Amino acid sequence: MQQYNSRDEIPAKYKWDLSVIYADDAAFSADFDKAEKMIAAFPAHEKTMSSCADALLSMLKDYCAIDLLINRLYEYAARSFDVDTSVNANQARVGKVMDLANRAGSASYFVTPSLLRLDGNTLEKWYAECPELAAYRRLIDKEMRFKPYTLSDECEKVMADMGQCLGTASDVRDIISDSDIRFGKIKDETGKSVELTDTNYVPFMMNKDRRVRRAAFNTLYKTYNQFGNTYATLMNGFVKERVTDAKIRHFENSLTASVFHDEVTPSIYNNLIDTVSNNLDALFEYYDIKKEVLGVSSLHMYDIYPPLLGDLDREYSIEEGIRETLDMAKIYGDEYHDTLEGGLTKKGWLDVFPNRGKRGGAYSSGCYGMEPYILLNFKGTFDDVFTLAHECGHSMHSYFSRTYNKPHESDYTIFVAEVASTVNELLLANKKLRESQSDDEKLYVLNQLMDTYKGTLFRQTMFAEFEKEMHALVEKGEILTADLLNKTYYGLVKKYFGPRVVCDEPIAREWMRIPHFYYNFYVYKYSTCISVAATVVKKMETEGPAYVKKYIEFLKCGGSKSPLDSLKVADIDLTKPEVIEDAIESFRSAVRQFKELYAQKTNKN
Ligand SMILES: [Zn+2]
């Protein structure tokens, strides 16, 4: 594969042309000035917005117009920065737009409290007399949902001021783990002594040499053990904060308060945990395979991460990657396929290759009124092709959301954000399993599928269950001590790894190194998204075009409906076990196929 160093060497067809957003600095500045003027004038709405339908409409129009302008400015600034972070002007532009967004936030602080003071009957009357205002109903409804949980103006001000002093627990945790703690040194596979850090711990856990993995595991947790009381105090502080906030706002508990923001209910959270808990035998079988392939007499906690298979030696060009992705996308019908084809081959959605100064990883971005932008660091591996398909899923979800909705309803919610991307990955995997002539490639795909389900469905559900238990303990008046957290976490490790894996005692401290426990009930969304994706793929492949049509309708919902209402469009009900069970079945099938194929292959050799 051709390697590029400087961005200038890369042919234009592989790079974004951001001049279609703003032709030059003058065009950027013109929009920036326009946004500044609108922000300066915006506070005048405070006095008038609640007086009549027209005044409310006028405020909402300005509010959304400012938002749109800032998004466009941000897209231009952030995309330019990401492809070359070494250019100071790019960095400065991002800073300028962030500052503008902060100013917009301050200038519109009154919008939510003023909306919440309006009563439902008045709003209904206004919607009836002003259809243009009715077009903002969903946006207003989303604010009004919080009315029963909102305090007096004075209390809200106190909460906001106090809020600035809270929230340090997670910062402190990160600082300790990332920079303050010295974990000590271990010997790597060549016998060289290296400093162990929280960052290189994961690569060490994937090392082929078991001695290295064991050393990393024991050294890391020995150090964490010395700081158990500190980590427990931080965790206790964080959970107490969330529990107290929920109580002050009259939510039933902190879990209910958190999922309320996602517009879902605790029943979805609990259904996920219950259904996964009832099917853990599938996961135990996966660990049996790990044990067999690694050839160890017993599988320890430090044997979970080394890859079962080597890399595939086949290299893909970006053109082949695009062809594979478009081929997979044929199942969606013409609009999806043709739009994607246009985006990838003519409209410049992709920024393909790594270059000096380019941000790592991959993502899909863009905003209303422009094409989606996909950043890649394509090196030609098999995984890179899957990453491309994944990001195309995001971009096509954005395309449908933006094309079929009003600007202020064009963003889908975070709760469904990983559905379309994961559906693409699963479709591509199934296609490869059907069509590939190579056993090695099939095994590779199956292994990837197994790892995805293990990491995204099972592990995140275990984390979700731990979070739920921690919060429930604090709600019962318990203090989260290191002993209590270790005991609770270890109990879950035993549950999720099963009777045939050796749950080495230091793993009880793993909760200390997971930053996600400070995200306030976030990780369950990874598990629900992959479950929805598994169901969608199953229905697409069994029910055919009639279901595909429903799925496309779901993509078109954007932010016009709540996530659960938009999922209903695709016949998906996350309160029932079936959706989670579909994902588990898909995992079981990958495990089964891997086992068979692996046995065939080893018998042959
Ligand atoms: Zn994604």
PDB file of all heavy atoms in Angstrom, residues 362-364 390-391 394 417-419 421-422 425, ligand 1:
ATOM      1  N   ALA A 362     -11.113   6.845  13.297  1.00  0.00           N
ATOM      2  CA  ALA A 362     -12.081   7.037  12.215  1.00  0.00           C
ATOM      3  C   ALA A 362     -13.362   7.583  12.808  1.00  0.00           C
ATOM      4  O   ALA A 362     -13.689   7.306  13.958  1.00  0.00           O
ATOM      5  CB  ALA A 362     -12.356   5.706  11.519  1.00  0.00           C
ATOM      6  N   TYR A 363     -14.078   8.399  12.027  1.00  0.00           N
ATOM      7  CA  TYR A 363     -15.385   8.879  12.471  1.00  0.00           C
ATOM      8  C   TYR A 363     -16.201   9.358  11.281  1.00  0.00           C
ATOM      9  O   TYR A 363     -15.679   9.507  10.168  1.00  0.00           O
ATOM     10  CB  TYR A 363     -15.267   9.996  13.515  1.00  0.00           C
ATOM     11  CG  TYR A 363     -14.614  11.285  13.039  1.00  0.00           C
ATOM     12  CD1 TYR A 363     -15.249  12.121  12.116  1.00  0.00           C
ATOM     13  CD2 TYR A 363     -13.374  11.686  13.514  1.00  0.00           C
ATOM     14  CE1 TYR A 363     -14.658  13.306  11.690  1.00  0.00           C
ATOM     15  CE2 TYR A 363     -12.779  12.867  13.099  1.00  0.00           C
ATOM     16  CZ  TYR A 363     -13.436  13.679  12.182  1.00  0.00           C
ATOM     17  OH  TYR A 363     -12.845  14.837  11.763  1.00  0.00           O
ATOM     18  N   SER A 364     -17.477   9.590  11.524  1.00  0.00           N
ATOM     19  CA  SER A 364     -18.339  10.229  10.530  1.00  0.00           C
ATOM     20  C   SER A 364     -18.865  11.512  11.144  1.00  0.00           C
ATOM     21  O   SER A 364     -19.217  11.555  12.320  1.00  0.00           O
ATOM     22  CB  SER A 364     -19.493   9.303  10.172  1.00  0.00           C
ATOM     23  OG  SER A 364     -20.516  10.043   9.536  1.00  0.00           O
ATOM     24  N   HIS A 390     -18.630   0.562   8.691  1.00  0.00           N
ATOM     25  CA  HIS A 390     -19.189   1.093   9.937  1.00  0.00           C
ATOM     26  C   HIS A 390     -19.469   2.605   9.803  1.00  0.00           C
ATOM     27  O   HIS A 390     -20.585   3.069  10.050  1.00  0.00           O
ATOM     28  CB  HIS A 390     -18.192   0.822  11.072  1.00  0.00           C
ATOM     29  CG  HIS A 390     -18.603   1.340  12.411  1.00  0.00           C
ATOM     30  ND1 HIS A 390     -19.113   0.528  13.390  1.00  0.00           N
ATOM     31  CD2 HIS A 390     -18.596   2.588  12.936  1.00  0.00           C
ATOM     32  CE1 HIS A 390     -19.409   1.251  14.468  1.00  0.00           C
ATOM     33  NE2 HIS A 390     -19.094   2.514  14.214  1.00  0.00           N
ATOM     34  N   GLU A 391     -18.467   3.347   9.366  1.00  0.00           N
ATOM     35  CA  GLU A 391     -18.629   4.802   9.255  1.00  0.00           C
ATOM     36  C   GLU A 391     -19.662   5.161   8.187  1.00  0.00           C
ATOM     37  O   GLU A 391     -20.382   6.147   8.325  1.00  0.00           O
ATOM     38  CB  GLU A 391     -17.277   5.484   8.963  1.00  0.00           C
ATOM     39  CG  GLU A 391     -16.219   5.301  10.044  1.00  0.00           C
ATOM     40  CD  GLU A 391     -16.692   5.652  11.452  1.00  0.00           C
ATOM     41  OE1 GLU A 391     -17.605   6.495  11.603  1.00  0.00           O
ATOM     42  OE2 GLU A 391     -16.160   5.054  12.414  1.00  0.00           O
ATOM     43  N   HIS A 394     -23.017   5.258   9.790  1.00  0.00           N
ATOM     44  CA  HIS A 394     -23.289   6.539  10.463  1.00  0.00           C
ATOM     45  C   HIS A 394     -23.686   7.601   9.437  1.00  0.00           C
ATOM     46  O   HIS A 394     -24.651   8.338   9.621  1.00  0.00           O
ATOM     47  CB  HIS A 394     -22.031   7.025  11.195  1.00  0.00           C
ATOM     48  CG  HIS A 394     -21.727   6.279  12.459  1.00  0.00           C
ATOM     49  ND1 HIS A 394     -22.649   6.121  13.457  1.00  0.00           N
ATOM     50  CD2 HIS A 394     -20.593   5.682  12.893  1.00  0.00           C
ATOM     51  CE1 HIS A 394     -22.088   5.440  14.461  1.00  0.00           C
ATOM     52  NE2 HIS A 394     -20.852   5.155  14.132  1.00  0.00           N
ATOM     53  N   ALA A 417     -27.489   5.792  18.191  1.00  0.00           N
ATOM     54  CA  ALA A 417     -26.394   6.248  17.334  1.00  0.00           C
ATOM     55  C   ALA A 417     -25.548   5.134  16.733  1.00  0.00           C
ATOM     56  O   ALA A 417     -25.013   5.282  15.641  1.00  0.00           O
ATOM     57  CB  ALA A 417     -25.498   7.212  18.108  1.00  0.00           C
ATOM     58  N   GLU A 418     -25.414   4.015  17.422  1.00  0.00           N
ATOM     59  CA  GLU A 418     -24.539   2.958  16.889  1.00  0.00           C
ATOM     60  C   GLU A 418     -25.318   1.857  16.158  1.00  0.00           C
ATOM     61  O   GLU A 418     -24.749   0.818  15.828  1.00  0.00           O
ATOM     62  CB  GLU A 418     -23.675   2.349  17.995  1.00  0.00           C
ATOM     63  CG  GLU A 418     -22.550   3.258  18.496  1.00  0.00           C
ATOM     64  CD  GLU A 418     -21.548   3.677  17.430  1.00  0.00           C
ATOM     65  OE1 GLU A 418     -21.306   2.895  16.495  1.00  0.00           O
ATOM     66  OE2 GLU A 418     -21.033   4.804  17.521  1.00  0.00           O
ATOM     67  N   VAL A 419     -26.595   2.075  15.909  1.00  0.00           N
ATOM     68  CA  VAL A 419     -27.382   1.030  15.251  1.00  0.00           C
ATOM     69  C   VAL A 419     -26.980   0.876  13.782  1.00  0.00           C
ATOM     70  O   VAL A 419     -26.537  -0.200  13.345  1.00  0.00           O
ATOM     71  CB  VAL A 419     -28.904   1.300  15.375  1.00  0.00           C
ATOM     72  CG1 VAL A 419     -29.687   0.341  14.491  1.00  0.00           C
ATOM     73  CG2 VAL A 419     -29.355   1.167  16.822  1.00  0.00           C
ATOM     74  N   SER A 421     -24.474   1.877  12.058  1.00  0.00           N
ATOM     75  CA  SER A 421     -23.080   1.516  11.813  1.00  0.00           C
ATOM     76  C   SER A 421     -22.870   0.023  12.081  1.00  0.00           C
ATOM     77  O   SER A 421     -22.202  -0.673  11.303  1.00  0.00           O
ATOM     78  CB  SER A 421     -22.170   2.346  12.713  1.00  0.00           C
ATOM     79  OG  SER A 421     -22.608   2.262  14.060  1.00  0.00           O
ATOM     80  N   THR A 422     -23.459  -0.468  13.181  1.00  0.00           N
ATOM     81  CA  THR A 422     -23.273  -1.881  13.525  1.00  0.00           C
ATOM     82  C   THR A 422     -24.011  -2.784  12.545  1.00  0.00           C
ATOM     83  O   THR A 422     -23.516  -3.861  12.207  1.00  0.00           O
ATOM     84  CB  THR A 422     -23.750  -2.141  14.973  1.00  0.00           C
ATOM     85  OG1 THR A 422     -23.227  -1.117  15.817  1.00  0.00           O
ATOM     86  CG2 THR A 422     -23.285  -3.487  15.475  1.00  0.00           C
ATOM     87  N   GLU A 425     -21.712  -3.391   9.727  1.00  0.00           N
ATOM     88  CA  GLU A 425     -20.634  -4.329  10.067  1.00  0.00           C
ATOM     89  C   GLU A 425     -21.137  -5.771  10.053  1.00  0.00           C
ATOM     90  O   GLU A 425     -20.471  -6.669   9.537  1.00  0.00           O
ATOM     91  CB  GLU A 425     -20.106  -4.033  11.472  1.00  0.00           C
ATOM     92  CG  GLU A 425     -19.042  -2.985  11.517  1.00  0.00           C
ATOM     93  CD  GLU A 425     -18.389  -2.942  12.891  1.00  0.00           C
ATOM     94  OE1 GLU A 425     -17.785  -3.941  13.291  1.00  0.00           O
ATOM     95  OE2 GLU A 425     -18.512  -1.904  13.562  1.00  0.00           O
TER      96      GLU A 425
HETATM   97 ZN    ZN B   1     -19.600   4.163  15.490  1.00  0.00          ZN
END
